[in-house]
Amino acid sequence: FRSKQWYQRRVAITAGGKAAESPPALCVLSHKPAGATKTIAWCGKGIMYDTGGFSIKTKTGMPGMKRDCGGAAGILGAFQSAVECGFSENLHAVLCIAENSVGPCAAVPDDIHILYSGKSVEINNTDAEGRLVLGDGVAYARKDLNADIVLDMCTLTGAQGITTGQHHAAVLTNNEKWESCAVKAGLSSGDMVFPIVYAPEVHFSEFKSSVADMKNSVANRSNAQCSCAGLFIGAHLFDDYFKPSPIVWIHVDMAYPVHIGERATGWGPALLLTLFGRYSTSSLLSDIAPVLPADQASKRAKHEEMC
């Protein structure tokens, strides 16, 4: 979906990339095998270059921002491999692609944008654009793809390195069983993750706005910033954090593992292929994949029947 359609909807992908020479896009790749019973969406942040916009980065902070598309790149690679290995469920790769540039058409602080979720966002930091484009991506996964499981992967925050280090991505999820599976998949694959605090009841207030549903950047950068950034994305997947939802949501912030020095690591595909390996016809992937919550429930039911 290119800019003309999305300008009409006034969504965040255009806000994050409308100053660039190349227009932003939402790219959706779909695999729909016969007999599928589940729908899984992988959403990737694809900021092709990030200047920070009008909240511009420093001369030392901007170099290397060509890697801000690491989430989308990892998901593209994982999607291709998953399909080639034989994936038994519906699988969609939602790539949120934009370039955060400075120019006459760029978004500015104090702008208010209506995201695809229908929620309004007051821009108080144009350098927090990744969460905006992913907000549109996860909303599309829910509204248009009817996804049962939504995973977003992104180079989202510098705080990720402080929170979980250079070698472990941060994982935030509304489902503790899937959290455990993600950790196990990371250990098996080498693309390691570590859980961060999921507490929207105490953290989402950081985005409070007087003129919109939320701001796009936190008030207190010392209050679980990595978790808060993820919660912003989730707010556009769920109607309300305080109402139960059948959707499983997994957020992966891999800002630091995506690179070593000035080179990319290719982080991400191994994690996703292993985490969802139970849905693959590849014996290797299914053997190393963690037992998923649905499989655990099925095993318990069979055990109870036998007893």
Side-chain angles (χ1 to χ4, degrees):
F1 303 95
R2 277 291 184 180
S3 59
K4 184 177 180 181
Q5 295 164 287
W6 288 86
Y7 269 123
Q8 293 170 348
R9 294 181 177 181
R10 297 177 61 211
V11 294
I13 288 180
T14 55
K18 62 183 181 180
E21 182 177 356
S22 297
L26 186 78
C27 178
V28 182
L29 310 175
S30 297
H31 167 70
K32 299 179 180 179
T37 59
K38 294 183 179 67
T39 298
I40 299 159
W42 295 342
C43 305
K45 172 187 171 184
I47 301 299
M48 308 311 291
Y49 198 83
D50 185 13
T51 67
F54 276 102
S55 304
I56 199 162
K57 295 180 182 292
T58 65
K59 66 177 183 180
T60 55
M62 194 184 300
M65 284 299 102
K66 60 187 177 183
R67 61 175 174 263
D68 212 16
C69 61
I75 282 176
L76 179 60
F79 179 84
Q80 178 180 356
S81 297
V83 173
E84 288 179 349
C85 289
F87 202 82
S88 60
E89 302 293 351
N90 296 322
L91 179 63
H92 304 278
V94 181
L95 310 179
C96 308
I97 301 170
E99 182 180 331
N100 189 16
S101 298
V102 181
C105 297
V108 297
D110 293 335
D111 274 354
I112 295 177
H113 294 281
I114 310 298
L115 271 65
Y116 189 49
S117 64
K119 296 179 181 179
S120 58
V121 177
E122 177 189 0
I123 305 300
N124 63 330
N125 180 3
T126 63
D127 196 21
E129 82 299 327
R131 65 197 65 179
L132 293 172
V133 300
L134 275 173
D136 280 348
V138 298
Y140 184 88
R142 175 176 66 91
K143 294 168 68 174
D144 293 72
L145 302 177
N146 297 313
D148 303 300
I149 302 169
V150 177
L151 179 145
D152 71 81
M153 192 166 75
C154 47
T155 51
L156 197 64
T157 65
Q160 179 271 305
I162 298 168
T163 307
T164 60
Q166 294 184 348
H167 303 291
H168 292 75
V171 62
L172 177 77
T173 175
N174 66 337
N175 188 299
E176 64 178 335
K177 293 179 180 178
W178 274 91
E179 178 185 275
S180 176
C181 288
V183 172
K184 290 176 182 177
L187 292 172
S188 296
S189 66
D191 285 353
M192 297 179 291
V193 300
F194 195 81
I196 56 176
V197 177
Y198 178 82
E201 64 275 13
V202 296
H203 290 148
F204 197 70
S205 59
E206 288 291 340
F207 296 105
K208 184 177 180 180
S209 168
S210 299
V211 294
D213 291 322
M214 66 195 78
K215 293 184 178 180
N216 75 316
S217 190
V218 294
N220 181 3
R221 296 176 70 85
S222 298
N223 185 18
Q225 187 184 163
C226 192
S227 293
C228 289
L231 290 175
F232 179 94
I233 297 168
H236 300 279
L237 176 62
F238 305 114
D239 291 327
D240 189 334
Y241 268 124
F242 306 107
K243 294 180 181 178
S245 173
I247 300 174
V248 174
W249 171 55
I250 306 163
H251 162 72
V252 180
D253 187 345
M254 31 78 92
Y256 277 71
V258 79
H259 73 103
I260 294 178
E262 297 182 358
R263 298 304 298 267
T265 59
W267 197 98
L271 173 70
L272 298 189
L273 292 170
T274 305
L275 178 58
F276 293 91
R278 294 278 172 171
Y279 300 138
S280 176
T281 58
S282 164
S283 58
L284 171 62
L285 292 176
S286 59
D287 286 346
I288 65 173
V291 178
L292 299 178
D295 297 331
Q296 293 170 353
S298 177
K299 285 184 177 181
R300 281 195 299 270
K302 288 180 181 179
H303 176 73
E304 290 171 0
E305 287 177 6
M306 291 174 64
C307 293

